[in-house]
């Protein structure tokens, strides 16, 4: 897999990627898919997770551009969706964060769950 540098992510895109990777299950899914592409049922067995929950995590990873899903028809005519890791490379520096922060939309800011610190600040 070739790593592709990401050209200037927007704040919304960076939040989506960081949120997707901020879950230990999704990190394990990316690690498993790095070994080889797989379909949901086999990946669920490999990771030890139910298919509905795995599918939800895969949707989040796909929406963030971290995995790619492709529908394929097997010889028996059964359609199966295979997932694989998308080529990506993110460099996270204070400058990258500052540039991305300058492009955040108000909607993205509201979509981010408040932390204890932000809740205290808003209460003041």
């Amino acid at each position: 897999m070739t790593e592709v540098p990401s050209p200037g992510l927007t704040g919304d895109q960076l939040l989506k990627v960081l949120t997707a990777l901020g879950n230990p299950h999704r990190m394990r899914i990316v690690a498993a898919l790095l070994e080889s592409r797989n379909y949901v049922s086999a990946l669920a067995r490999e990771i030890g997770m139910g298919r509905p929950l795995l599918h939800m995590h895969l949707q989040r990873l796909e929406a963030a551009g971290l995995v790619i899903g492709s529908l394929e028809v097997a010889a028996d005519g059964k359609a199966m969706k295979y997932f694989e890791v998308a080529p990506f490379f993110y460099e996270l520096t204070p400058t990258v964060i500052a540039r991305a922060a300058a492009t955040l939309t108000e909607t993205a800011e509201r979509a981010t769950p408040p932390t204890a610190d932000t809740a205290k600040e808003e209460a003041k």
Side-chain angles (χ1 to χ4, degrees):
M1 176 178 74
T2 306
E3 293 178 346
V4 178
S6 300
L9 286 174
T10 67
D12 298 346
Q13 292 167 329
L14 182 59
L15 280 177
K16 191 176 269 191
V17 168
L18 293 175
T19 300
L21 291 173
N23 181 289
H25 295 300
R26 291 193 280 267
M27 288 180 68
R28 287 186 193 103
I29 292 166
V30 170
L33 291 174
L34 183 60
E35 298 298 320
S36 67
R37 71 187 202 112
N38 216 335
Y39 60 97
V40 175
S41 293
L43 186 58
R45 285 189 299 274
E46 181 182 334
I47 294 176
M49 179 183 293
R51 286 182 297 158
L53 181 59
L54 174 62
H55 196 266
M56 184 271 304
H57 286 303
L58 285 166
Q59 286 177 324
R60 298 256 172 96
L61 290 166
E62 193 172 26
L66 300 171
V67 301
I68 299 167
S70 58
L71 197 58
E72 297 181 19
V73 180
D76 63 358
K78 184 178 179 182
M80 298 188 334
K81 191 167 185 178
Y82 280 84
F83 288 89
E84 62 187 309
V85 174
F88 65 86
F89 174 79
Y90 296 102
E91 183 175 25
L92 196 58
T93 66
T95 302
V96 169
I97 292 170
R99 285 184 188 145
T103 67
L104 283 170
T105 62
E106 197 172 315
T107 307
E109 289 171 3
R110 278 189 257 126
T112 305
T115 63
D117 292 336
T118 57
K120 287 178 188 174
E121 286 297 316
E122 289 175 6
K124 288 181 181 178

